[in-house]
Every structure is written in structure tokens, then in C-alpha cells.
PDB file of all heavy atoms in Angstrom:
ATOM      1  N   LYS A 972      45.403 221.811  65.773  1.00 98.00           N
ATOM      2  CA  LYS A 972      45.910 221.718  67.140  1.00 98.00           C
ATOM      3  C   LYS A 972      46.183 220.267  67.525  1.00 98.00           C
ATOM      4  O   LYS A 972      47.212 219.959  68.153  1.00 98.00           O
ATOM      5  CB  LYS A 972      44.915 222.349  68.111  1.00 98.00           C
ATOM      6  CG  LYS A 972      44.795 223.860  67.976  1.00 98.00           C
ATOM      7  CD  LYS A 972      43.709 224.420  68.905  1.00 98.00           C
ATOM      8  CE  LYS A 972      43.572 225.925  68.745  1.00 98.00           C
ATOM      9  NZ  LYS A 972      42.489 226.480  69.604  1.00 98.00           N
ATOM     10  N   ALA A 973      45.276 219.371  67.148  1.00 98.00           N
ATOM     11  CA  ALA A 973      45.444 217.959  67.479  1.00 98.00           C
ATOM     12  C   ALA A 973      46.665 217.373  66.775  1.00 98.00           C
ATOM     13  O   ALA A 973      47.437 216.604  67.377  1.00 98.00           O
ATOM     14  CB  ALA A 973      44.186 217.180  67.103  1.00 98.00           C
ATOM     15  N   GLN A 974      46.871 217.728  65.521  1.00 98.00           N
ATOM     16  CA  GLN A 974      48.020 217.216  64.780  1.00 98.00           C
ATOM     17  C   GLN A 974      49.335 217.734  65.354  1.00 98.00           C
ATOM     18  O   GLN A 974      50.313 216.988  65.473  1.00 98.00           O
ATOM     19  CB  GLN A 974      47.907 217.609  63.298  1.00 98.00           C
ATOM     20  CG  GLN A 974      46.813 216.886  62.547  1.00 98.00           C
ATOM     21  CD  GLN A 974      46.745 217.316  61.089  1.00 98.00           C
ATOM     22  OE1 GLN A 974      47.751 217.724  60.487  1.00 98.00           O
ATOM     23  NE2 GLN A 974      45.560 217.235  60.502  1.00 98.00           N
ATOM     24  N   MET A 975      49.381 219.016  65.714  1.00 98.00           N
ATOM     25  CA  MET A 975      50.605 219.584  66.276  1.00 98.00           C
ATOM     26  C   MET A 975      50.913 218.998  67.649  1.00 98.00           C
ATOM     27  O   MET A 975      52.080 218.801  68.001  1.00 98.00           O
ATOM     28  CB  MET A 975      50.488 221.112  66.346  1.00 98.00           C
ATOM     29  CG  MET A 975      50.542 221.791  64.986  1.00 98.00           C
ATOM     30  SD  MET A 975      50.694 223.607  65.063  1.00 98.00           S
ATOM     31  CE  MET A 975      49.063 224.046  65.682  1.00 98.00           C
ATOM     32  N   ALA A 976      49.866 218.691  68.419  1.00 98.00           N
ATOM     33  CA  ALA A 976      50.074 218.087  69.731  1.00 98.00           C
ATOM     34  C   ALA A 976      50.589 216.660  69.612  1.00 98.00           C
ATOM     35  O   ALA A 976      51.360 216.192  70.457  1.00 98.00           O
ATOM     36  CB  ALA A 976      48.771 218.107  70.524  1.00 98.00           C
ATOM     37  N   ALA A 977      50.191 215.973  68.550  1.00 98.00           N
ATOM     38  CA  ALA A 977      50.576 214.577  68.364  1.00 98.00           C
ATOM     39  C   ALA A 977      51.941 214.408  67.704  1.00 98.00           C
ATOM     40  O   ALA A 977      52.589 213.375  67.865  1.00 98.00           O
ATOM     41  CB  ALA A 977      49.513 213.850  67.541  1.00 98.00           C
ATOM     42  N   ASP A 978      52.390 215.414  66.946  1.00 98.00           N
ATOM     43  CA  ASP A 978      53.647 215.294  66.196  1.00 98.00           C
ATOM     44  C   ASP A 978      54.352 216.649  66.171  1.00 98.00           C
ATOM     45  O   ASP A 978      53.852 217.605  65.581  1.00 98.00           O
ATOM     46  CB  ASP A 978      53.355 214.823  64.772  1.00 98.00           C
ATOM     47  CG  ASP A 978      54.613 214.506  63.971  1.00 98.00           C
ATOM     48  OD1 ASP A 978      55.722 214.877  64.406  1.00 98.00           O
ATOM     49  OD2 ASP A 978      54.473 213.895  62.893  1.00 98.00           O
ATOM     50  N   GLU A 979      55.515 216.726  66.793  1.00 96.00           N
ATOM     51  CA  GLU A 979      56.235 217.996  66.868  1.00 96.00           C
ATOM     52  C   GLU A 979      56.758 218.460  65.521  1.00 96.00           C
ATOM     53  O   GLU A 979      57.123 219.624  65.356  1.00 96.00           O
ATOM     54  CB  GLU A 979      57.393 217.883  67.855  1.00 96.00           C
ATOM     55  CG  GLU A 979      58.456 216.860  67.457  1.00 96.00           C
ATOM     56  CD  GLU A 979      59.582 216.770  68.467  1.00 96.00           C
ATOM     57  OE1 GLU A 979      59.457 217.351  69.554  1.00 96.00           O
ATOM     58  OE2 GLU A 979      60.594 216.112  68.138  1.00 96.00           O
ATOM     59  N   MET A 980      56.778 217.575  64.530  1.00 97.00           N
ATOM     60  CA  MET A 980      57.224 217.958  63.186  1.00 97.00           C
ATOM     61  C   MET A 980      56.110 218.626  62.391  1.00 97.00           C
ATOM     62  O   MET A 980      56.361 219.205  61.337  1.00 97.00           O
ATOM     63  CB  MET A 980      57.715 216.721  62.421  1.00 97.00           C
ATOM     64  CG  MET A 980      58.959 216.088  63.019  1.00 97.00           C
ATOM     65  SD  MET A 980      60.343 217.270  63.101  1.00 97.00           S
ATOM     66  CE  MET A 980      60.639 217.544  61.356  1.00 97.00           C
ATOM     67  N   VAL A 981      54.892 218.540  62.881  1.00 98.00           N
ATOM     68  CA  VAL A 981      53.760 219.179  62.202  1.00 98.00           C
ATOM     69  C   VAL A 981      53.625 220.609  62.704  1.00 98.00           C
ATOM     70  O   VAL A 981      53.649 220.858  63.917  1.00 98.00           O
ATOM     71  CB  VAL A 981      52.456 218.401  62.455  1.00 98.00           C
ATOM     72  CG1 VAL A 981      51.257 219.163  61.879  1.00 98.00           C
ATOM     73  CG2 VAL A 981      52.545 217.006  61.840  1.00 98.00           C
ATOM     74  N   SER A 982      53.468 221.525  61.776  1.00 97.00           N
ATOM     75  CA  SER A 982      53.358 222.940  62.154  1.00 97.00           C
ATOM     76  C   SER A 982      52.361 223.661  61.263  1.00 97.00           C
ATOM     77  O   SER A 982      52.343 223.454  60.043  1.00 97.00           O
ATOM     78  CB  SER A 982      54.729 223.616  62.044  1.00 97.00           C
ATOM     79  OG  SER A 982      54.628 224.989  62.362  1.00 97.00           O
ATOM     80  N   TYR A 983      51.518 224.480  61.891  1.00 98.00           N
ATOM     81  CA  TYR A 983      50.565 225.298  61.153  1.00 98.00           C
ATOM     82  C   TYR A 983      50.656 226.741  61.641  1.00 98.00           C
ATOM     83  O   TYR A 983      51.143 227.000  62.754  1.00 98.00           O
ATOM     84  CB  TYR A 983      49.133 224.785  61.347  1.00 98.00           C
ATOM     85  CG  TYR A 983      48.887 223.437  60.735  1.00 98.00           C
ATOM     86  CD1 TYR A 983      48.762 222.299  61.534  1.00 98.00           C
ATOM     87  CD2 TYR A 983      48.776 223.290  59.358  1.00 98.00           C
ATOM     88  CE1 TYR A 983      48.537 221.046  60.970  1.00 98.00           C
ATOM     89  CE2 TYR A 983      48.546 222.043  58.787  1.00 98.00           C
ATOM     90  CZ  TYR A 983      48.430 220.932  59.598  1.00 98.00           C
ATOM     91  OH  TYR A 983      48.229 219.701  59.036  1.00 98.00           O
ATOM     92  N   PHE A 984      50.195 227.658  60.815  1.00 97.00           N
ATOM     93  CA  PHE A 984      50.149 229.064  61.208  1.00 97.00           C
ATOM     94  C   PHE A 984      48.923 229.267  62.101  1.00 97.00           C
ATOM     95  O   PHE A 984      47.854 229.680  61.653  1.00 97.00           O
ATOM     96  CB  PHE A 984      50.063 229.970  59.979  1.00 97.00           C
ATOM     97  CG  PHE A 984      51.240 229.824  59.038  1.00 97.00           C
ATOM     98  CD1 PHE A 984      51.066 229.950  57.665  1.00 97.00           C
ATOM     99  CD2 PHE A 984      52.511 229.574  59.517  1.00 97.00           C
ATOM    100  CE1 PHE A 984      52.131 229.832  56.795  1.00 97.00           C
ATOM    101  CE2 PHE A 984      53.591 229.450  58.652  1.00 97.00           C
ATOM    102  CZ  PHE A 984      53.407 229.567  57.287  1.00 97.00           C
ATOM    103  N   LEU A 985      49.085 228.961  63.362  1.00 97.00           N
ATOM    104  CA  LEU A 985      47.971 229.029  64.303  1.00 97.00           C
ATOM    105  C   LEU A 985      48.525 229.330  65.692  1.00 97.00           C
ATOM    106  O   LEU A 985      49.488 228.692  66.131  1.00 97.00           O
ATOM    107  CB  LEU A 985      47.210 227.696  64.324  1.00 97.00           C
ATOM    108  CG  LEU A 985      45.904 227.669  65.107  1.00 97.00           C
ATOM    109  CD1 LEU A 985      44.852 228.514  64.401  1.00 97.00           C
ATOM    110  CD2 LEU A 985      45.411 226.226  65.262  1.00 97.00           C
ATOM    111  N   ASP A 986      47.926 230.336  66.362  1.00 93.00           N
ATOM    112  CA  ASP A 986      48.365 230.737  67.711  1.00 93.00           C
ATOM    113  C   ASP A 986      49.864 231.008  67.757  1.00 93.00           C
ATOM    114  O   ASP A 986      50.570 230.619  68.696  1.00 93.00           O
ATOM    115  CB  ASP A 986      48.010 229.641  68.730  1.00 93.00           C
ATOM    116  CG  ASP A 986      46.517 229.378  68.812  1.00 93.00           C
ATOM    117  OD1 ASP A 986      45.743 230.314  68.546  1.00 93.00           O
ATOM    118  OD2 ASP A 986      46.135 228.241  69.140  1.00 93.00           O
ATOM    119  N   SER A 987      50.362 231.686  66.731  1.00 92.00           N
ATOM    120  CA  SER A 987      51.796 231.948  66.627  1.00 92.00           C
ATOM    121  C   SER A 987      52.149 233.322  67.205  1.00 92.00           C
ATOM    122  O   SER A 987      51.278 234.059  67.693  1.00 92.00           O
ATOM    123  CB  SER A 987      52.232 231.891  65.163  1.00 92.00           C
ATOM    124  OG  SER A 987      51.749 233.028  64.453  1.00 92.00           O
ATOM    125  N   ASP A 988      53.433 233.659  67.116  1.00 92.00           N
ATOM    126  CA  ASP A 988      53.900 234.966  67.587  1.00 92.00           C
ATOM    127  C   ASP A 988      53.581 236.075  66.592  1.00 92.00           C
ATOM    128  O   ASP A 988      53.817 237.255  66.877  1.00 92.00           O
ATOM    129  CB  ASP A 988      55.416 234.913  67.831  1.00 92.00           C
ATOM    130  CG  ASP A 988      55.781 233.959  68.958  1.00 92.00           C
ATOM    131  OD1 ASP A 988      54.936 233.748  69.836  1.00 92.00           O
ATOM    132  OD2 ASP A 988      56.902 233.416  68.929  1.00 92.00           O
ATOM    133  N   VAL A 989      53.087 235.684  65.428  1.00 91.00           N
ATOM    134  CA  VAL A 989      52.715 236.675  64.403  1.00 91.00           C
ATOM    135  C   VAL A 989      51.231 236.427  64.058  1.00 91.00           C
ATOM    136  O   VAL A 989      50.911 235.773  63.056  1.00 91.00           O
ATOM    137  CB  VAL A 989      53.588 236.542  63.147  1.00 91.00           C
ATOM    138  CG1 VAL A 989      53.322 237.714  62.190  1.00 91.00           C
ATOM    139  CG2 VAL A 989      55.061 236.456  63.502  1.00 91.00           C
ATOM    140  N   PRO A 990      50.326 236.927  64.880  1.00 92.00           N
ATOM    141  CA  PRO A 990      48.891 236.644  64.709  1.00 92.00           C
ATOM    142  C   PRO A 990      48.346 236.970  63.329  1.00 92.00           C
ATOM    143  O   PRO A 990      47.427 236.283  62.840  1.00 92.00           O
ATOM    144  CB  PRO A 990      48.233 237.513  65.782  1.00 92.00           C
ATOM    145  CG  PRO A 990      49.294 237.711  66.810  1.00 92.00           C
ATOM    146  CD  PRO A 990      50.588 237.784  66.042  1.00 92.00           C
ATOM    147  N   GLU A 991      48.873 238.008  62.692  1.00 92.00           N
ATOM    148  CA  GLU A 991      48.346 238.388  61.382  1.00 92.00           C
ATOM    149  C   GLU A 991      48.632 237.332  60.311  1.00 92.00           C
ATOM    150  O   GLU A 991      48.037 237.351  59.238  1.00 92.00           O
ATOM    151  CB  GLU A 991      48.891 239.750  60.941  1.00 92.00           C
ATOM    152  CG  GLU A 991      50.400 239.842  60.852  1.00 92.00           C
ATOM    153  CD  GLU A 991      51.034 240.340  62.151  1.00 92.00           C
ATOM    154  OE1 GLU A 991      50.443 240.114  63.221  1.00 92.00           O
ATOM    155  OE2 GLU A 991      52.113 240.958  62.064  1.00 92.00           O
ATOM    156  N   TRP A 992      49.579 236.435  60.578  1.00 92.00           N
ATOM    157  CA  TRP A 992      49.870 235.354  59.644  1.00 92.00           C
ATOM    158  C   TRP A 992      49.024 234.114  59.928  1.00 92.00           C
ATOM    159  O   TRP A 992      48.966 233.200  59.124  1.00 92.00           O
ATOM    160  CB  TRP A 992      51.346 234.954  59.717  1.00 92.00           C
ATOM    161  CG  TRP A 992      52.284 235.987  59.159  1.00 92.00           C
ATOM    162  CD1 TRP A 992      51.962 237.204  58.630  1.00 92.00           C
ATOM    163  CD2 TRP A 992      53.711 235.879  59.083  1.00 92.00           C
ATOM    164  NE1 TRP A 992      53.095 237.880  58.239  1.00 92.00           N
ATOM    165  CE2 TRP A 992      54.186 237.087  58.498  1.00 92.00           C
ATOM    166  CE3 TRP A 992      54.629 234.906  59.465  1.00 92.00           C
ATOM    167  CZ2 TRP A 992      55.536 237.330  58.281  1.00 92.00           C
ATOM    168  CZ3 TRP A 992      55.983 235.137  59.237  1.00 92.00           C
ATOM    169  CH2 TRP A 992      56.437 236.339  58.645  1.00 92.00           C
ATOM    170  N   ASP A 993      48.390 234.072  61.069  1.00 97.00           N
ATOM    171  CA  ASP A 993      47.673 232.870  61.485  1.00 97.00           C
ATOM    172  C   ASP A 993      46.441 232.611  60.631  1.00 97.00           C
ATOM    173  O   ASP A 993      45.805 233.541  60.123  1.00 97.00           O
ATOM    174  CB  ASP A 993      47.248 232.980  62.953  1.00 97.00           C
ATOM    175  CG  ASP A 993      48.412 232.821  63.910  1.00 97.00           C
ATOM    176  OD1 ASP A 993      49.518 232.482  63.444  1.00 97.00           O
ATOM    177  OD2 ASP A 993      48.222 233.052  65.119  1.00 97.00           O
ATOM    178  N   PHE A 994      46.115 231.333  60.531  1.00 98.00           N
ATOM    179  CA  PHE A 994      44.890 230.946  59.838  1.00 98.00           C
ATOM    180  C   PHE A 994      43.681 231.437  60.640  1.00 98.00           C
ATOM    181  O   PHE A 994      43.569 231.179  61.836  1.00 98.00           O
ATOM    182  CB  PHE A 994      44.829 229.421  59.686  1.00 98.00           C
ATOM    183  CG  PHE A 994      43.498 228.908  59.237  1.00 98.00           C
ATOM    184  CD1 PHE A 994      43.038 229.154  57.945  1.00 98.00           C
ATOM    185  CD2 PHE A 994      42.678 228.179  60.099  1.00 98.00           C
ATOM    186  CE1 PHE A 994      41.796 228.677  57.525  1.00 98.00           C
ATOM    187  CE2 PHE A 994      41.449 227.700  59.686  1.00 98.00           C
ATOM    188  CZ  PHE A 994      41.004 227.944  58.406  1.00 98.00           C
ATOM    189  N   GLN A 995      42.782 232.140  59.953  1.00 97.00           N
ATOM    190  CA  GLN A 995      41.576 232.665  60.600  1.00 97.00           C
ATOM    191  C   GLN A 995      40.326 231.893  60.173  1.00 97.00           C
ATOM    192  O   GLN A 995      39.556 231.425  61.007  1.00 97.00           O
ATOM    193  CB  GLN A 995      41.411 234.152  60.263  1.00 97.00           C
ATOM    194  CG  GLN A 995      42.585 235.021  60.674  1.00 97.00           C
ATOM    195  CD  GLN A 995      42.810 235.036  62.174  1.00 97.00           C
ATOM    196  OE1 GLN A 995      41.865 234.912  62.957  1.00 97.00           O
ATOM    197  NE2 GLN A 995      44.072 235.194  62.600  1.00 97.00           N
ATOM    198  N   ALA A 996      40.146 231.789  58.865  1.00 98.00           N
ATOM    199  CA  ALA A 996      38.933 231.121  58.369  1.00 98.00           C
ATOM    200  C   ALA A 996      39.084 230.813  56.886  1.00 98.00           C
ATOM    201  O   ALA A 996      39.888 231.434  56.179  1.00 98.00           O
ATOM    202  CB  ALA A 996      37.707 232.004  58.591  1.00 98.00           C
ATOM    203  N   ILE A 997      38.306 229.849  56.420  1.00 98.00           N
ATOM    204  CA  ILE A 997      38.234 229.572  54.990  1.00 98.00           C
ATOM    205  C   ILE A 997      37.411 230.675  54.326  1.00 98.00           C
ATOM    206  O   ILE A 997      36.889 231.565  54.999  1.00 98.00           O
ATOM    207  CB  ILE A 997      37.591 228.206  54.724  1.00 98.00           C
ATOM    208  CG1 ILE A 997      36.143 228.189  55.259  1.00 98.00           C
ATOM    209  CG2 ILE A 997      38.413 227.092  55.336  1.00 98.00           C
ATOM    210  CD1 ILE A 997      35.337 226.987  54.818  1.00 98.00           C
ATOM    211  N   SER A 998      37.282 230.604  53.021  1.00 97.00           N
ATOM    212  CA  SER A 998      36.449 231.552  52.281  1.00 97.00           C
ATOM    213  C   SER A 998      35.605 230.790  51.267  1.00 97.00           C
ATOM    214  O   SER A 998      35.752 229.572  51.106  1.00 97.00           O
ATOM    215  CB  SER A 998      37.319 232.582  51.550  1.00 97.00           C
ATOM    216  OG  SER A 998      37.997 231.973  50.461  1.00 97.00           O
ATOM    217  N   ALA A 999      34.758 231.511  50.586  1.00 96.00           N
ATOM    218  CA  ALA A 999      33.910 230.877  49.565  1.00 96.00           C
ATOM    219  C   ALA A 999      34.737 230.346  48.403  1.00 96.00           C
ATOM    220  O   ALA A 999      34.273 229.499  47.632  1.00 96.00           O
ATOM    221  CB  ALA A 999      32.871 231.874  49.057  1.00 96.00           C
ATOM    222  N   ASP A1000      35.983 230.843  48.266  1.00 95.00           N
ATOM    223  CA  ASP A1000      36.860 230.420  47.171  1.00 95.00           C
ATOM    224  C   ASP A1000      37.850 229.344  47.585  1.00 95.00           C
ATOM    225  O   ASP A1000      38.699 228.942  46.782  1.00 95.00           O
ATOM    226  CB  ASP A1000      37.634 231.627  46.627  1.00 95.00           C
ATOM    227  CG  ASP A1000      36.717 232.685  46.044  1.00 95.00           C
ATOM    228  OD1 ASP A1000      35.716 232.308  45.401  1.00 95.00           O
ATOM    229  OD2 ASP A1000      37.001 233.882  46.220  1.00 95.00           O
ATOM    230  N   THR A1001      37.785 228.891  48.811  1.00 98.00           N
ATOM    231  CA  THR A1001      38.717 227.877  49.284  1.00 98.00           C
ATOM    232  C   THR A1001      38.589 226.600  48.446  1.00 98.00           C
ATOM    233  O   THR A1001      37.492 226.172  48.103  1.00 98.00           O
ATOM    234  CB  THR A1001      38.458 227.559  50.770  1.00 98.00           C
ATOM    235  OG1 THR A1001      38.774 228.714  51.551  1.00 98.00           O
ATOM    236  CG2 THR A1001      39.320 226.396  51.242  1.00 98.00           C
ATOM    237  N   THR A1002      39.734 225.994  48.142  1.00 98.00           N
ATOM    238  CA  THR A1002      39.756 224.775  47.336  1.00 98.00           C
ATOM    239  C   THR A1002      39.213 223.600  48.150  1.00 98.00           C
ATOM    240  O   THR A1002      39.504 223.463  49.333  1.00 98.00           O
ATOM    241  CB  THR A1002      41.191 224.467  46.883  1.00 98.00           C
ATOM    242  OG1 THR A1002      41.703 225.588  46.148  1.00 98.00           O
ATOM    243  CG2 THR A1002      41.238 223.232  45.987  1.00 98.00           C
ATOM    244  N   PHE A1003      38.443 222.743  47.485  1.00 98.00           N
ATOM    245  CA  PHE A1003      37.847 221.586  48.165  1.00 98.00           C
ATOM    246  C   PHE A1003      37.601 220.472  47.178  1.00 98.00           C
ATOM    247  O   PHE A1003      37.675 220.661  45.960  1.00 98.00           O
ATOM    248  CB  PHE A1003      36.519 221.971  48.818  1.00 98.00           C
ATOM    249  CG  PHE A1003      35.393 222.111  47.816  1.00 98.00           C
ATOM    250  CD1 PHE A1003      34.526 221.057  47.553  1.00 98.00           C
ATOM    251  CD2 PHE A1003      35.213 223.300  47.111  1.00 98.00           C
ATOM    252  CE1 PHE A1003      33.507 221.181  46.612  1.00 98.00           C
ATOM    253  CE2 PHE A1003      34.199 223.432  46.175  1.00 98.00           C
ATOM    254  CZ  PHE A1003      33.340 222.363  45.926  1.00 98.00           C
ATOM    255  N   TYR A1004      37.305 219.305  47.695  1.00 98.00           N
ATOM    256  CA  TYR A1004      36.751 218.225  46.884  1.00 98.00           C
ATOM    257  C   TYR A1004      35.987 217.280  47.800  1.00 98.00           C
ATOM    258  O   TYR A1004      36.041 217.402  49.027  1.00 98.00           O
ATOM    259  CB  TYR A1004      37.837 217.477  46.099  1.00 98.00           C
ATOM    260  CG  TYR A1004      38.828 216.682  46.927  1.00 98.00           C
ATOM    261  CD1 TYR A1004      38.623 215.336  47.213  1.00 98.00           C
ATOM    262  CD2 TYR A1004      40.002 217.279  47.396  1.00 98.00           C
ATOM    263  CE1 TYR A1004      39.539 214.603  47.950  1.00 98.00           C
ATOM    264  CE2 TYR A1004      40.923 216.559  48.133  1.00 98.00           C
ATOM    265  CZ  TYR A1004      40.687 215.212  48.411  1.00 98.00           C
ATOM    266  OH  TYR A1004      41.599 214.501  49.145  1.00 98.00           O
ATOM    267  N   VAL A1005      35.233 216.368  47.202  1.00 98.00           N
ATOM    268  CA  VAL A1005      34.513 215.341  47.949  1.00 98.00           C
ATOM    269  C   VAL A1005      35.210 214.018  47.663  1.00 98.00           C
ATOM    270  O   VAL A1005      35.329 213.616  46.496  1.00 98.00           O
ATOM    271  CB  VAL A1005      33.027 215.280  47.545  1.00 98.00           C
ATOM    272  CG1 VAL A1005      32.332 214.122  48.261  1.00 98.00           C
ATOM    273  CG2 VAL A1005      32.341 216.603  47.863  1.00 98.00           C
ATOM    274  N   ASN A1006      35.702 213.348  48.719  1.00 97.00           N
ATOM    275  CA  ASN A1006      36.494 212.145  48.496  1.00 97.00           C
ATOM    276  C   ASN A1006      35.619 210.920  48.250  1.00 97.00           C
ATOM    277  O   ASN A1006      34.379 210.998  48.231  1.00 97.00           O
ATOM    278  CB  ASN A1006      37.483 211.910  49.651  1.00 97.00           C
ATOM    279  CG  ASN A1006      36.800 211.614  50.979  1.00 97.00           C
ATOM    280  OD1 ASN A1006      35.631 211.223  51.039  1.00 97.00           O
ATOM    281  ND2 ASN A1006      37.533 211.798  52.069  1.00 97.00           N
ATOM    282  N   GLU A1007      36.264 209.769  48.077  1.00 95.00           N
ATOM    283  CA  GLU A1007      35.538 208.550  47.708  1.00 95.00           C
ATOM    284  C   GLU A1007      34.589 208.073  48.802  1.00 95.00           C
ATOM    285  O   GLU A1007      33.675 207.281  48.533  1.00 95.00           O
ATOM    286  CB  GLU A1007      36.537 207.445  47.375  1.00 95.00           C
ATOM    287  CG  GLU A1007      37.456 207.082  48.508  1.00 95.00           C
ATOM    288  CD  GLU A1007      38.512 206.058  48.115  1.00 95.00           C
ATOM    289  OE1 GLU A1007      38.587 205.716  46.925  1.00 95.00           O
ATOM    290  OE2 GLU A1007      39.244 205.610  49.003  1.00 95.00           O
ATOM    291  N   ASN A1008      34.797 208.563  50.012  1.00 96.00           N
ATOM    292  CA  ASN A1008      33.899 208.210  51.114  1.00 96.00           C
ATOM    293  C   ASN A1008      32.753 209.205  51.279  1.00 96.00           C
ATOM    294  O   ASN A1008      31.976 209.117  52.230  1.00 96.00           O
ATOM    295  CB  ASN A1008      34.688 208.116  52.425  1.00 96.00           C
ATOM    296  CG  ASN A1008      35.720 207.011  52.396  1.00 96.00           C
ATOM    297  OD1 ASN A1008      35.448 205.911  51.900  1.00 96.00           O
ATOM    298  ND2 ASN A1008      36.910 207.280  52.900  1.00 96.00           N
TER     299      ASN A1008
END
């Protein structure tokens, strides 16, 4: 939400007209890593 509010070119599947496509939650299989910080 913060990114979309700051830049109109940024778009995510969130609060859209097609709710079933919207991001709901991550899962145990979601890809991740731990960065250098």
C-alpha cells in the first residue's frame, strides 16, 4: 500500500476489483532469503 501510494507506476494485486486474485497471505513454501544485513 505504501509503495502504490508513493508511485503510481507501482501496482500489486491488492484491494482490486477481482478480490480472488488479490494477495492474501504467504505460505510455508514462500520463497525467502536472509540478506547481508
Side-chain angles (χ1 to χ4, degrees):
K972 291 176 181 178
Q974 290 180 28
M975 289 190 290
D978 187 347
E979 63 180 10
M980 295 302 295
V981 173
S982 178
Y983 293 106
F984 300 146
L985 188 69
D986 299 332
S987 72
D988 295 333
V989 189
E991 58 268 28
W992 290 1
D993 286 352
F994 168 69
Q995 302 297 329
I997 62 169
S998 71
D1000 298 322
T1001 294
T1002 302
F1003 76 95
Y1004 67 92
V1005 175
N1006 65 20
E1007 60 185 6
N1008 296 318

